[in-house]
Amino acid sequence: MKIKSLIESTAYFLLRAAAAVLRLMPLSWALALGSCCGRVMYCIDARHRRQVYQNLKIAFGEKWPPAQVRRVTCRFFVRLGRDFAEFLCLPKLSLNWIKERIELHNAPAIDELLKQGKGLILMTMHYGNWELSILKLRSMGYPSHAIFKVQERAAGFNQLM
């Protein structure tokens, strides 16, 4: 077996194991654990921490002092960990949970456009759990499909997706 496929297989196994453990917990605990993991990643992943910091500095450096850029960088990692835990817990989320917590702005406009007999393409930024928007649309009776770029370095993640 090649080293690359061994690493990918191991990563996929660990990802599936993490998902199974998180799904056994109450959702609030799983999200809290995800937030903690995000904070740990902020502390140990210097390369990505610098990248996020630099991007925020480019976007807000004129308006924000360095201390605020650092705080937002840390919050980004905490939120990323929480979002990832939430993503791994998607199969356990009920339709009611989705209906209550995910807000779809301007649903009447979507209804009006679909009444015209044409399709509709909704685009979202890749921030947070955009996957939840698909579930929200389905919970409202809209046929919907997600299109995403296959991750070449993360075959296991593609299977999970």
Side-chain angles (χ1 to χ4, degrees):
M1 178 180 263
K2 292 182 180 179
I3 293 293
K4 182 180 177 186
S5 60
L6 178 63
I7 291 171
E8 285 181 2
S9 296
T10 303
Y12 179 67
F13 171 78
L14 292 173
L15 191 60
R16 294 295 298 231
V21 169
L22 289 172
R23 289 177 197 154
L24 291 173
M25 298 178 181
L27 184 61
S28 60
W29 292 14
L31 298 181
L33 181 58
S35 295
C36 289
C37 290
R39 186 171 294 279
V40 168
M41 289 308 296
Y42 169 79
C43 292
I44 66 173
D45 188 355
R47 183 172 69 93
H48 288 106
R49 182 177 62 241
R50 276 192 304 273
Q51 185 178 13
V52 171
Y53 180 88
Q54 287 301 323
N55 288 341
L56 288 170
K57 195 172 168 184
I58 289 167
F60 300 106
E62 305 263 333
K63 301 174 191 167
W64 293 355
Q68 185 173 2
V69 177
R70 279 191 302 278
R71 280 193 306 275
V72 173
T73 299
C74 182
R75 285 198 320 246
F76 169 83
F77 278 86
V78 169
R79 184 60 198 225
L80 185 64
R82 178 186 166 95
D83 286 350
F84 194 66
E86 186 178 58
F87 170 76
L88 293 176
C89 289
L90 283 179
K92 95 179 223 173
L93 301 180
S94 71
L95 197 55
N96 282 336
W97 187 93
I98 291 165
K99 284 182 179 180
E100 290 173 7
R101 288 175 179 81
I102 309 303
E103 185 177 343
L104 179 62
H105 295 276
N106 213 1
I110 294 172
D111 286 331
E112 191 59 39
L113 289 168
L114 290 176
K115 283 180 188 174
Q116 295 175 15
K118 299 177 182 176
L120 180 66
I121 297 174
L122 298 177
M123 295 176 65
T124 181
M125 292 180 62
H126 193 282
Y127 182 76
N129 279 335
W130 60 270
E131 301 88 355
L132 290 173
S133 62
I134 301 300
L135 299 175
K136 176 65 174 187
L137 289 168
R138 287 186 178 177
S139 77
M140 298 173 69
Y142 297 120
S144 53
H145 303 281
I147 299 171
F148 69 98
K149 181 181 176 190
V150 171
Q151 301 298 305
E152 294 174 15
R153 295 186 315 173
F157 183 76
N158 294 324
Q159 289 177 318
L160 191 61
M161 187 65 160

PDB file of all heavy atoms in Angstrom, residues 1-15 151-159:
ATOM      1  N   MET A   1       0.845  -1.173   0.000  1.00  0.00           N
ATOM      2  CA  MET A   1       0.000   0.000   0.000  1.00  0.00           C
ATOM      3  C   MET A   1       0.895   1.242   0.000  1.00  0.00           C
ATOM      4  O   MET A   1       1.877   1.317   0.721  1.00  0.00           O
ATOM      5  CB  MET A   1      -0.897  -0.026   1.235  1.00  0.00           C
ATOM      6  CG  MET A   1      -1.788   1.176   1.362  1.00  0.00           C
ATOM      7  SD  MET A   1      -2.850   1.118   2.824  1.00  0.00           S
ATOM      8  CE  MET A   1      -4.341   0.498   2.104  1.00  0.00           C
ATOM      9  N   LYS A   2       0.536   2.240  -0.794  1.00  0.00           N
ATOM     10  CA  LYS A   2       1.303   3.471  -0.854  1.00  0.00           C
ATOM     11  C   LYS A   2       1.060   4.283   0.411  1.00  0.00           C
ATOM     12  O   LYS A   2      -0.005   4.226   1.022  1.00  0.00           O
ATOM     13  CB  LYS A   2       0.866   4.293  -2.071  1.00  0.00           C
ATOM     14  CG  LYS A   2       1.226   3.661  -3.382  1.00  0.00           C
ATOM     15  CD  LYS A   2       0.807   4.555  -4.518  1.00  0.00           C
ATOM     16  CE  LYS A   2       1.172   3.924  -5.840  1.00  0.00           C
ATOM     17  NZ  LYS A   2       0.769   4.746  -6.961  1.00  0.00           N
ATOM     18  N   ILE A   3       2.063   5.073   0.773  1.00  0.00           N
ATOM     19  CA  ILE A   3       1.977   5.907   1.968  1.00  0.00           C
ATOM     20  C   ILE A   3       0.792   6.867   1.859  1.00  0.00           C
ATOM     21  O   ILE A   3       0.031   7.037   2.811  1.00  0.00           O
ATOM     22  CB  ILE A   3       3.292   6.702   2.178  1.00  0.00           C
ATOM     23  CG1 ILE A   3       4.443   5.766   2.517  1.00  0.00           C
ATOM     24  CG2 ILE A   3       3.122   7.756   3.266  1.00  0.00           C
ATOM     25  CD1 ILE A   3       4.318   5.088   3.860  1.00  0.00           C
ATOM     26  N   LYS A   4       0.608   7.487   0.687  1.00  0.00           N
ATOM     27  CA  LYS A   4      -0.478   8.449   0.518  1.00  0.00           C
ATOM     28  C   LYS A   4      -1.831   7.794   0.777  1.00  0.00           C
ATOM     29  O   LYS A   4      -2.670   8.350   1.482  1.00  0.00           O
ATOM     30  CB  LYS A   4      -0.442   9.051  -0.885  1.00  0.00           C
ATOM     31  CG  LYS A   4      -1.514  10.081  -1.116  1.00  0.00           C
ATOM     32  CD  LYS A   4      -1.446  10.660  -2.509  1.00  0.00           C
ATOM     33  CE  LYS A   4      -2.588  11.630  -2.717  1.00  0.00           C
ATOM     34  NZ  LYS A   4      -2.665  12.125  -4.069  1.00  0.00           N
ATOM     35  N   SER A   5      -2.054   6.620   0.234  1.00  0.00           N
ATOM     36  CA  SER A   5      -3.347   5.967   0.440  1.00  0.00           C
ATOM     37  C   SER A   5      -3.499   5.497   1.889  1.00  0.00           C
ATOM     38  O   SER A   5      -4.602   5.478   2.428  1.00  0.00           O
ATOM     39  CB  SER A   5      -3.544   4.807  -0.532  1.00  0.00           C
ATOM     40  OG  SER A   5      -2.539   3.838  -0.375  1.00  0.00           O
ATOM     41  N   LEU A   6      -2.391   5.142   2.542  1.00  0.00           N
ATOM     42  CA  LEU A   6      -2.448   4.771   3.958  1.00  0.00           C
ATOM     43  C   LEU A   6      -2.843   5.977   4.804  1.00  0.00           C
ATOM     44  O   LEU A   6      -3.690   5.873   5.692  1.00  0.00           O
ATOM     45  CB  LEU A   6      -1.104   4.210   4.416  1.00  0.00           C
ATOM     46  CG  LEU A   6      -1.008   3.829   5.893  1.00  0.00           C
ATOM     47  CD1 LEU A   6      -1.993   2.706   6.220  1.00  0.00           C
ATOM     48  CD2 LEU A   6       0.399   3.413   6.243  1.00  0.00           C
ATOM     49  N   ILE A   7      -2.256   7.119   4.509  1.00  0.00           N
ATOM     50  CA  ILE A   7      -2.586   8.347   5.242  1.00  0.00           C
ATOM     51  C   ILE A   7      -4.048   8.722   5.002  1.00  0.00           C
ATOM     52  O   ILE A   7      -4.771   9.060   5.944  1.00  0.00           O
ATOM     53  CB  ILE A   7      -1.637   9.492   4.837  1.00  0.00           C
ATOM     54  CG1 ILE A   7      -0.230   9.199   5.364  1.00  0.00           C
ATOM     55  CG2 ILE A   7      -2.137  10.837   5.355  1.00  0.00           C
ATOM     56  CD1 ILE A   7       0.837  10.137   4.848  1.00  0.00           C
ATOM     57  N   GLU A   8      -4.495   8.667   3.742  1.00  0.00           N
ATOM     58  CA  GLU A   8      -5.888   8.996   3.434  1.00  0.00           C
ATOM     59  C   GLU A   8      -6.852   8.029   4.115  1.00  0.00           C
ATOM     60  O   GLU A   8      -7.888   8.447   4.644  1.00  0.00           O
ATOM     61  CB  GLU A   8      -6.119   8.997   1.921  1.00  0.00           C
ATOM     62  CG  GLU A   8      -5.552  10.202   1.222  1.00  0.00           C
ATOM     63  CD  GLU A   8      -5.810  10.185  -0.271  1.00  0.00           C
ATOM     64  OE1 GLU A   8      -6.463   9.260  -0.783  1.00  0.00           O
ATOM     65  OE2 GLU A   8      -5.351  11.124  -0.936  1.00  0.00           O
ATOM     66  N   SER A   9      -6.523   6.742   4.118  1.00  0.00           N
ATOM     67  CA  SER A   9      -7.386   5.751   4.768  1.00  0.00           C
ATOM     68  C   SER A   9      -7.461   5.988   6.270  1.00  0.00           C
ATOM     69  O   SER A   9      -8.532   5.911   6.870  1.00  0.00           O
ATOM     70  CB  SER A   9      -6.874   4.335   4.508  1.00  0.00           C
ATOM     71  OG  SER A   9      -6.930   4.040   3.138  1.00  0.00           O
ATOM     72  N   THR A  10      -6.324   6.308   6.868  1.00  0.00           N
ATOM     73  CA  THR A  10      -6.284   6.578   8.298  1.00  0.00           C
ATOM     74  C   THR A  10      -7.086   7.840   8.628  1.00  0.00           C
ATOM     75  O   THR A  10      -7.865   7.861   9.587  1.00  0.00           O
ATOM     76  CB  THR A  10      -4.827   6.733   8.793  1.00  0.00           C
ATOM     77  OG1 THR A  10      -4.115   5.537   8.463  1.00  0.00           O
ATOM     78  CG2 THR A  10      -4.766   6.980  10.279  1.00  0.00           C
ATOM     79  N   ALA A  11      -6.908   8.879   7.821  1.00  0.00           N
ATOM     80  CA  ALA A  11      -7.641  10.130   8.045  1.00  0.00           C
ATOM     81  C   ALA A  11      -9.146   9.896   7.911  1.00  0.00           C
ATOM     82  O   ALA A  11      -9.938  10.405   8.716  1.00  0.00           O
ATOM     83  CB  ALA A  11      -7.175  11.196   7.058  1.00  0.00           C
ATOM     84  N   TYR A  12      -9.549   9.122   6.925  1.00  0.00           N
ATOM     85  CA  TYR A  12     -10.970   8.829   6.735  1.00  0.00           C
ATOM     86  C   TYR A  12     -11.513   8.050   7.930  1.00  0.00           C
ATOM     87  O   TYR A  12     -12.593   8.361   8.447  1.00  0.00           O
ATOM     88  CB  TYR A  12     -11.185   8.049   5.441  1.00  0.00           C
ATOM     89  CG  TYR A  12     -12.620   7.690   5.194  1.00  0.00           C
ATOM     90  CD1 TYR A  12     -13.566   8.675   4.928  1.00  0.00           C
ATOM     91  CD2 TYR A  12     -13.049   6.365   5.216  1.00  0.00           C
ATOM     92  CE1 TYR A  12     -14.892   8.357   4.707  1.00  0.00           C
ATOM     93  CE2 TYR A  12     -14.378   6.040   4.994  1.00  0.00           C
ATOM     94  CZ  TYR A  12     -15.295   7.037   4.738  1.00  0.00           C
ATOM     95  OH  TYR A  12     -16.601   6.728   4.520  1.00  0.00           O
ATOM     96  N   PHE A  13     -10.774   7.059   8.404  1.00  0.00           N
ATOM     97  CA  PHE A  13     -11.196   6.284   9.567  1.00  0.00           C
ATOM     98  C   PHE A  13     -11.348   7.186  10.789  1.00  0.00           C
ATOM     99  O   PHE A  13     -12.335   7.098  11.527  1.00  0.00           O
ATOM    100  CB  PHE A  13     -10.200   5.159   9.855  1.00  0.00           C
ATOM    101  CG  PHE A  13     -10.462   4.462  11.156  1.00  0.00           C
ATOM    102  CD1 PHE A  13     -11.487   3.528  11.260  1.00  0.00           C
ATOM    103  CD2 PHE A  13      -9.717   4.759  12.281  1.00  0.00           C
ATOM    104  CE1 PHE A  13     -11.762   2.894  12.473  1.00  0.00           C
ATOM    105  CE2 PHE A  13      -9.975   4.135  13.491  1.00  0.00           C
ATOM    106  CZ  PHE A  13     -10.999   3.203  13.588  1.00  0.00           C
ATOM    107  N   LEU A  14     -10.367   8.071  11.019  1.00  0.00           N
ATOM    108  CA  LEU A  14     -10.426   8.980  12.167  1.00  0.00           C
ATOM    109  C   LEU A  14     -11.603   9.955  12.055  1.00  0.00           C
ATOM    110  O   LEU A  14     -12.262  10.262  13.055  1.00  0.00           O
ATOM    111  CB  LEU A  14      -9.112   9.739  12.316  1.00  0.00           C
ATOM    112  CG  LEU A  14      -7.905   8.893  12.724  1.00  0.00           C
ATOM    113  CD1 LEU A  14      -6.630   9.724  12.670  1.00  0.00           C
ATOM    114  CD2 LEU A  14      -8.109   8.282  14.099  1.00  0.00           C
ATOM    115  N   LEU A  15     -11.850  10.404  10.843  1.00  0.00           N
ATOM    116  CA  LEU A  15     -12.978  11.307  10.609  1.00  0.00           C
ATOM    117  C   LEU A  15     -14.304  10.613  10.904  1.00  0.00           C
ATOM    118  O   LEU A  15     -15.175  11.172  11.585  1.00  0.00           O
ATOM    119  CB  LEU A  15     -12.941  11.803   9.160  1.00  0.00           C
ATOM    120  CG  LEU A  15     -13.855  12.934   8.766  1.00  0.00           C
ATOM    121  CD1 LEU A  15     -13.565  14.176   9.590  1.00  0.00           C
ATOM    122  CD2 LEU A  15     -13.675  13.240   7.287  1.00  0.00           C
ATOM    123  N   GLN A 151     -12.449  17.521  -3.312  1.00  0.00           N
ATOM    124  CA  GLN A 151     -11.179  17.824  -2.671  1.00  0.00           C
ATOM    125  C   GLN A 151     -10.168  16.745  -3.055  1.00  0.00           C
ATOM    126  O   GLN A 151     -10.296  15.603  -2.628  1.00  0.00           O
ATOM    127  CB  GLN A 151     -11.350  17.885  -1.155  1.00  0.00           C
ATOM    128  CG  GLN A 151     -12.359  18.922  -0.704  1.00  0.00           C
ATOM    129  CD  GLN A 151     -11.953  20.316  -1.104  1.00  0.00           C
ATOM    130  OE1 GLN A 151     -10.855  20.763  -0.791  1.00  0.00           O
ATOM    131  NE2 GLN A 151     -12.831  21.007  -1.813  1.00  0.00           N
ATOM    132  N   GLU A 152      -9.187  17.104  -3.854  1.00  0.00           N
ATOM    133  CA  GLU A 152      -8.230  16.121  -4.365  1.00  0.00           C
ATOM    134  C   GLU A 152      -7.337  15.540  -3.277  1.00  0.00           C
ATOM    135  O   GLU A 152      -6.893  14.416  -3.372  1.00  0.00           O
ATOM    136  CB  GLU A 152      -7.390  16.759  -5.466  1.00  0.00           C
ATOM    137  CG  GLU A 152      -8.227  17.111  -6.682  1.00  0.00           C
ATOM    138  CD  GLU A 152      -7.447  17.867  -7.728  1.00  0.00           C
ATOM    139  OE1 GLU A 152      -6.200  17.880  -7.671  1.00  0.00           O
ATOM    140  OE2 GLU A 152      -8.094  18.445  -8.614  1.00  0.00           O
ATOM    141  N   ARG A 153      -7.078  16.312  -2.224  1.00  0.00           N
ATOM    142  CA  ARG A 153      -6.201  15.823  -1.160  1.00  0.00           C
ATOM    143  C   ARG A 153      -6.977  15.233   0.006  1.00  0.00           C
ATOM    144  O   ARG A 153      -6.395  14.970   1.050  1.00  0.00           O
ATOM    145  CB  ARG A 153      -5.320  16.954  -0.653  1.00  0.00           C
ATOM    146  CG  ARG A 153      -4.357  17.458  -1.714  1.00  0.00           C
ATOM    147  CD  ARG A 153      -3.402  18.468  -1.176  1.00  0.00           C
ATOM    148  NE  ARG A 153      -4.084  19.447  -0.334  1.00  0.00           N
ATOM    149  CZ  ARG A 153      -3.457  20.373   0.369  1.00  0.00           C
ATOM    150  NH1 ARG A 153      -2.160  20.459   0.343  1.00  0.00           N
ATOM    151  NH2 ARG A 153      -4.127  21.223   1.102  1.00  0.00           N
ATOM    152  N   ALA A 154      -8.289  15.043  -0.160  1.00  0.00           N
ATOM    153  CA  ALA A 154      -9.093  14.552   0.966  1.00  0.00           C
ATOM    154  C   ALA A 154     -10.220  13.650   0.460  1.00  0.00           C
ATOM    155  O   ALA A 154     -11.383  13.967   0.543  1.00  0.00           O
ATOM    156  CB  ALA A 154      -9.657  15.732   1.752  1.00  0.00           C
ATOM    157  N   ALA A 155      -9.821  12.509  -0.088  1.00  0.00           N
ATOM    158  CA  ALA A 155     -10.807  11.594  -0.654  1.00  0.00           C
ATOM    159  C   ALA A 155     -11.839  11.161   0.389  1.00  0.00           C
ATOM    160  O   ALA A 155     -13.020  11.015   0.081  1.00  0.00           O
ATOM    161  CB  ALA A 155     -10.105  10.370  -1.249  1.00  0.00           C
ATOM    162  N   GLY A 156     -11.406  10.948   1.617  1.00  0.00           N
ATOM    163  CA  GLY A 156     -12.325  10.548   2.671  1.00  0.00           C
ATOM    164  C   GLY A 156     -13.378  11.604   2.943  1.00  0.00           C
ATOM    165  O   GLY A 156     -14.553  11.288   3.178  1.00  0.00           O
ATOM    166  N   PHE A 157     -12.980  12.863   2.885  1.00  0.00           N
ATOM    167  CA  PHE A 157     -13.934  13.945   3.086  1.00  0.00           C
ATOM    168  C   PHE A 157     -14.973  13.955   1.967  1.00  0.00           C
ATOM    169  O   PHE A 157     -16.157  14.177   2.216  1.00  0.00           O
ATOM    170  CB  PHE A 157     -13.223  15.298   3.147  1.00  0.00           C
ATOM    171  CG  PHE A 157     -14.151  16.425   3.420  1.00  0.00           C
ATOM    172  CD1 PHE A 157     -14.643  16.647   4.686  1.00  0.00           C
ATOM    173  CD2 PHE A 157     -14.547  17.282   2.404  1.00  0.00           C
ATOM    174  CE1 PHE A 157     -15.513  17.685   4.951  1.00  0.00           C
ATOM    175  CE2 PHE A 157     -15.414  18.321   2.637  1.00  0.00           C
ATOM    176  CZ  PHE A 157     -15.893  18.530   3.914  1.00  0.00           C
ATOM    177  N   ASN A 158     -14.545  13.688   0.733  1.00  0.00           N
ATOM    178  CA  ASN A 158     -15.487  13.625  -0.378  1.00  0.00           C
ATOM    179  C   ASN A 158     -16.526  12.528  -0.151  1.00  0.00           C
ATOM    180  O   ASN A 158     -17.707  12.717  -0.426  1.00  0.00           O
ATOM    181  CB  ASN A 158     -14.748  13.385  -1.692  1.00  0.00           C
ATOM    182  CG  ASN A 158     -13.866  14.538  -2.061  1.00  0.00           C
ATOM    183  OD1 ASN A 158     -14.208  15.689  -1.823  1.00  0.00           O
ATOM    184  ND2 ASN A 158     -12.707  14.247  -2.621  1.00  0.00           N
ATOM    185  N   GLN A 159     -16.089  11.372   0.364  1.00  0.00           N
ATOM    186  CA  GLN A 159     -17.033  10.302   0.651  1.00  0.00           C
ATOM    187  C   GLN A 159     -18.018  10.716   1.736  1.00  0.00           C
ATOM    188  O   GLN A 159     -19.196  10.420   1.645  1.00  0.00           O
ATOM    189  CB  GLN A 159     -16.287   9.031   1.078  1.00  0.00           C
ATOM    190  CG  GLN A 159     -15.544   8.364  -0.047  1.00  0.00           C
ATOM    191  CD  GLN A 159     -14.770   7.152   0.440  1.00  0.00           C
ATOM    192  OE1 GLN A 159     -14.139   7.178   1.492  1.00  0.00           O
ATOM    193  NE2 GLN A 159     -14.838   6.080  -0.331  1.00  0.00           N
TER     194      GLN A 159
END
